Amino acid sequence: MTTTDGTADLSDRIASELPYLRRYARALTGSQSSGDSYAIATLEAILQDRSIFEAEPRTRVALYKCFHAIWGSAGAPVPEEVSGMVGRAQRALKSLGPNTREALLLSTVEEFSIEEIAAIMEIDRDEVRHLIATARSDMEASTSGRIMVIEDEPIIAADLSAIVEELGHSVTGVARTRQEAVELGARERPDLILADIQLADNSSGIDAVNDILVAMPDMPVIFITAFPERLLTGNRPEPAFLISKPYKEDQVQSAVSQAMFFASTETLRA
């Protein structure tokens, strides 16, 4: 893109996709700060060289492809010598085959096609299918635990409960309001929280989670929202794991399996 108008157009297109790149990067690293650092590094690389967008006309594919070049050059690192639950999660991640989590997240959470993933990761389609199948098997078999659901719609709550139970997890209970969530969390300490943003009494799922995290700061959390871009600005503490509404079953499965690897979620602000 050499013209001023062309550069501006590319900038606008990248900006519209940036929240979702942040979501992907955070899911890979399990952390807002680490994920956003990779997103920033991707943007810095694009400022230096936009040729990837000339070779690949699909802006979103080109953006994620550039991210993968950065991610791969850094060796998709997992920090060393971390203790506690986070350390155990990171050691579990090391046991997975290379590129498996990436392929699974690109397919489920980011909803890329097999062909698009092949372009992003620069591998063939059969390899993409193999990586996704391997990731599902490895991740679903590696962890099981107790999951708390914060959701005010009974049908959605029942659906989410069924999905996580099919993965081998148990559901500690369903909370419809902030107060119910705090009480349930204190009574039945879960291993992971799956939370909607807007609750039955107009209270905030984010506030409910923050209350719970005061006593259980290492609890991983997945948020479900119809407006994920509002929680992916990078301007404040935000969740590492997000599912967009309307969600698909495999998105929930992937996010739950991924989040169970990590045991720290930064405190959020509504």
Side-chain angles (χ1 to χ4, degrees), residues 220-238:
V221 181
I222 300 171
F223 278 95
I224 303 176
T225 174
F227 305 99
E229 64 277 3
R230 295 180 183 177
L231 289 174
L232 292 167
T233 66
N235 295 327
R236 61 182 182 176
E238 295 169 334

mmCIF file of all heavy atoms in Angstrom, residues 220-238:
data_model
loop_
_atom_site.group_PDB
_atom_site.id
_atom_site.type_symbol
_atom_site.label_atom_id
_atom_site.label_comp_id
_atom_site.label_asym_id
_atom_site.label_seq_id
_atom_site.Cartn_x
_atom_site.Cartn_y
_atom_site.Cartn_z
ATOM 1 N N PRO A 220 -9.103 -19.096 37.051
ATOM 2 C CA PRO A 220 -9.283 -18.743 35.634
ATOM 3 C C PRO A 220 -10.748 -18.462 35.341
ATOM 4 O O PRO A 220 -11.639 -19.073 35.933
ATOM 5 C CB PRO A 220 -8.781 -19.988 34.892
ATOM 6 C CG PRO A 220 -8.949 -21.097 35.863
ATOM 7 C CD PRO A 220 -8.775 -20.514 37.238
ATOM 8 N N VAL A 221 -10.995 -17.507 34.433
ATOM 9 C CA VAL A 221 -12.352 -17.076 34.128
ATOM 10 C C VAL A 221 -12.520 -16.959 32.613
ATOM 11 O O VAL A 221 -11.626 -16.469 31.920
ATOM 12 C CB VAL A 221 -12.663 -15.706 34.775
ATOM 13 C CG1 VAL A 221 -14.100 -15.280 34.470
ATOM 14 C CG2 VAL A 221 -12.425 -15.747 36.277
ATOM 15 N N ILE A 222 -13.672 -17.409 32.134
ATOM 16 C CA ILE A 222 -14.056 -17.198 30.739
ATOM 17 C C ILE A 222 -15.303 -16.323 30.738
ATOM 18 O O ILE A 222 -16.287 -16.644 31.407
ATOM 19 C CB ILE A 222 -14.378 -18.523 30.019
ATOM 20 C CG1 ILE A 222 -13.165 -19.451 30.028
ATOM 21 C CG2 ILE A 222 -14.826 -18.262 28.584
ATOM 22 C CD1 ILE A 222 -13.481 -20.847 29.524
ATOM 23 N N PHE A 223 -15.268 -15.223 30.001
ATOM 24 C CA PHE A 223 -16.434 -14.357 29.884
ATOM 25 C C PHE A 223 -17.141 -14.603 28.554
ATOM 26 O O PHE A 223 -16.504 -14.875 27.537
ATOM 27 C CB PHE A 223 -16.045 -12.886 29.985
ATOM 28 C CG PHE A 223 -15.884 -12.406 31.396
ATOM 29 C CD1 PHE A 223 -14.640 -12.379 31.999
ATOM 30 C CD2 PHE A 223 -16.982 -11.995 32.134
ATOM 31 C CE1 PHE A 223 -14.484 -11.954 33.306
ATOM 32 C CE2 PHE A 223 -16.846 -11.569 33.443
ATOM 33 C CZ PHE A 223 -15.593 -11.539 34.029
ATOM 34 N N ILE A 224 -18.465 -14.491 28.600
ATOM 35 C CA ILE A 224 -19.302 -14.625 27.414
ATOM 36 C C ILE A 224 -19.999 -13.285 27.190
ATOM 37 O O ILE A 224 -20.632 -12.758 28.100
ATOM 38 C CB ILE A 224 -20.356 -15.726 27.584
ATOM 39 C CG1 ILE A 224 -19.686 -17.060 27.915
ATOM 40 C CG2 ILE A 224 -21.214 -15.857 26.332
ATOM 41 C CD1 ILE A 224 -20.659 -18.176 28.204
ATOM 42 N N THR A 225 -19.874 -12.736 25.997
ATOM 43 C CA THR A 225 -20.461 -11.420 25.728
ATOM 44 C C THR A 225 -20.792 -11.280 24.248
ATOM 45 O O THR A 225 -20.121 -11.850 23.389
ATOM 46 C CB THR A 225 -19.504 -10.284 26.143
ATOM 47 O OG1 THR A 225 -20.055 -9.029 25.737
ATOM 48 C CG2 THR A 225 -18.133 -10.450 25.511
ATOM 49 N N ALA A 226 -21.838 -10.515 23.968
ATOM 50 C CA ALA A 226 -22.203 -10.224 22.587
ATOM 51 C C ALA A 226 -21.332 -9.122 22.000
ATOM 52 O O ALA A 226 -21.360 -8.888 20.793
ATOM 53 C CB ALA A 226 -23.675 -9.812 22.515
ATOM 54 N N PHE A 227 -20.551 -8.462 22.844
ATOM 55 C CA PHE A 227 -19.727 -7.349 22.386
ATOM 56 C C PHE A 227 -18.284 -7.519 22.870
ATOM 57 O O PHE A 227 -17.798 -6.756 23.715
ATOM 58 C CB PHE A 227 -20.299 -6.018 22.882
ATOM 59 C CG PHE A 227 -21.731 -5.793 22.504
ATOM 60 C CD1 PHE A 227 -22.749 -6.036 23.412
ATOM 61 C CD2 PHE A 227 -22.061 -5.377 21.221
ATOM 62 C CE1 PHE A 227 -24.079 -5.839 23.062
ATOM 63 C CE2 PHE A 227 -23.388 -5.185 20.857
ATOM 64 C CZ PHE A 227 -24.403 -5.423 21.773
ATOM 65 N N PRO A 228 -17.574 -8.536 22.362
ATOM 66 C CA PRO A 228 -16.222 -8.813 22.857
ATOM 67 C C PRO A 228 -15.241 -7.668 22.645
ATOM 68 O O PRO A 228 -14.324 -7.487 23.433
ATOM 69 C CB PRO A 228 -15.805 -10.054 22.063
ATOM 70 C CG PRO A 228 -16.656 -10.022 20.830
ATOM 71 C CD PRO A 228 -17.960 -9.451 21.281
ATOM 72 N N GLU A 229 -15.457 -6.882 21.572
ATOM 73 C CA GLU A 229 -14.515 -5.796 21.295
ATOM 74 C C GLU A 229 -14.478 -4.771 22.426
ATOM 75 O O GLU A 229 -13.468 -4.081 22.607
ATOM 76 C CB GLU A 229 -14.867 -5.109 19.968
ATOM 77 C CG GLU A 229 -16.209 -4.403 19.925
ATOM 78 C CD GLU A 229 -17.389 -5.309 19.635
ATOM 79 O OE1 GLU A 229 -17.187 -6.541 19.516
ATOM 80 O OE2 GLU A 229 -18.508 -4.786 19.523
ATOM 81 N N ARG A 230 -15.558 -4.685 23.219
ATOM 82 C CA ARG A 230 -15.583 -3.730 24.333
ATOM 83 C C ARG A 230 -14.655 -4.157 25.468
ATOM 84 O O ARG A 230 -14.290 -3.338 26.313
ATOM 85 C CB ARG A 230 -17.007 -3.589 24.867
ATOM 86 C CG ARG A 230 -17.984 -2.978 23.866
ATOM 87 C CD ARG A 230 -19.371 -2.858 24.462
ATOM 88 N NE ARG A 230 -20.325 -2.337 23.480
ATOM 89 C CZ ARG A 230 -21.618 -2.185 23.714
ATOM 90 N NH1 ARG A 230 -22.116 -2.483 24.907
ATOM 91 N NH2 ARG A 230 -22.420 -1.714 22.766
ATOM 92 N N LEU A 231 -14.311 -5.429 25.501
ATOM 93 C CA LEU A 231 -13.417 -5.927 26.544
ATOM 94 C C LEU A 231 -12.055 -6.307 25.962
ATOM 95 O O LEU A 231 -11.310 -7.064 26.577
ATOM 96 C CB LEU A 231 -14.044 -7.146 27.231
ATOM 97 C CG LEU A 231 -15.253 -6.851 28.117
ATOM 98 C CD1 LEU A 231 -15.862 -8.149 28.627
ATOM 99 C CD2 LEU A 231 -14.871 -5.962 29.286
ATOM 100 N N LEU A 232 -11.738 -5.774 24.784
ATOM 101 C CA LEU A 232 -10.474 -6.099 24.128
ATOM 102 C C LEU A 232 -9.787 -4.840 23.615
ATOM 103 O O LEU A 232 -9.164 -4.834 22.567
ATOM 104 C CB LEU A 232 -10.733 -7.066 22.959
ATOM 105 C CG LEU A 232 -11.205 -8.467 23.347
ATOM 106 C CD1 LEU A 232 -11.730 -9.211 22.130
ATOM 107 C CD2 LEU A 232 -10.087 -9.259 24.005
ATOM 108 N N THR A 233 -9.873 -3.774 24.389
ATOM 109 C CA THR A 233 -9.287 -2.509 23.957
ATOM 110 C C THR A 233 -7.811 -2.401 24.302
ATOM 111 O O THR A 233 -7.068 -1.672 23.660
ATOM 112 C CB THR A 233 -10.021 -1.332 24.609
ATOM 113 O OG1 THR A 233 -9.795 -1.365 26.026
ATOM 114 C CG2 THR A 233 -11.523 -1.408 24.336
ATOM 115 N N GLY A 234 -7.395 -3.104 25.357
ATOM 116 C CA GLY A 234 -6.023 -2.982 25.816
ATOM 117 C C GLY A 234 -5.790 -1.750 26.670
ATOM 118 O O GLY A 234 -4.658 -1.468 27.068
ATOM 119 N N ASN A 235 -6.856 -1.007 27.004
ATOM 120 C CA ASN A 235 -6.716 0.238 27.751
ATOM 121 C C ASN A 235 -6.906 0.074 29.253
ATOM 122 O O ASN A 235 -6.754 1.027 30.004
ATOM 123 C CB ASN A 235 -7.726 1.275 27.239
ATOM 124 C CG ASN A 235 -7.437 1.677 25.812
ATOM 125 O OD1 ASN A 235 -6.285 1.727 25.394
ATOM 126 N ND2 ASN A 235 -8.486 1.956 25.044
ATOM 127 N N ARG A 236 -7.279 -1.115 29.711
ATOM 128 C CA ARG A 236 -7.520 -1.354 31.131
ATOM 129 C C ARG A 236 -7.383 -2.843 31.384
ATOM 130 O O ARG A 236 -7.295 -3.633 30.433
ATOM 131 C CB ARG A 236 -8.923 -0.885 31.512
ATOM 132 C CG ARG A 236 -10.026 -1.631 30.746
ATOM 133 C CD ARG A 236 -11.405 -1.118 31.109
ATOM 134 N NE ARG A 236 -12.436 -1.883 30.404
ATOM 135 C CZ ARG A 236 -13.735 -1.687 30.597
ATOM 136 N NH1 ARG A 236 -14.153 -0.793 31.449
ATOM 137 N NH2 ARG A 236 -14.618 -2.404 29.924
ATOM 138 N N PRO A 237 -7.386 -3.282 32.651
ATOM 139 C CA PRO A 237 -7.383 -4.724 32.911
ATOM 140 C C PRO A 237 -8.597 -5.386 32.289
ATOM 141 O O PRO A 237 -9.733 -4.960 32.506
ATOM 142 C CB PRO A 237 -7.428 -4.800 34.450
ATOM 143 C CG PRO A 237 -6.808 -3.520 34.899
ATOM 144 C CD PRO A 237 -7.259 -2.495 33.892
ATOM 145 N N GLU A 238 -8.366 -6.410 31.489
ATOM 146 C CA GLU A 238 -9.429 -7.067 30.737
ATOM 147 C C GLU A 238 -9.224 -8.576 30.766
ATOM 148 O O GLU A 238 -8.136 -9.061 31.079
ATOM 149 C CB GLU A 238 -9.426 -6.562 29.288
ATOM 150 C CG GLU A 238 -9.773 -5.084 29.174
ATOM 151 C CD GLU A 238 -9.503 -4.525 27.790
ATOM 152 O OE1 GLU A 238 -8.644 -5.062 27.073
ATOM 153 O OE2 GLU A 238 -10.152 -3.538 27.429
#
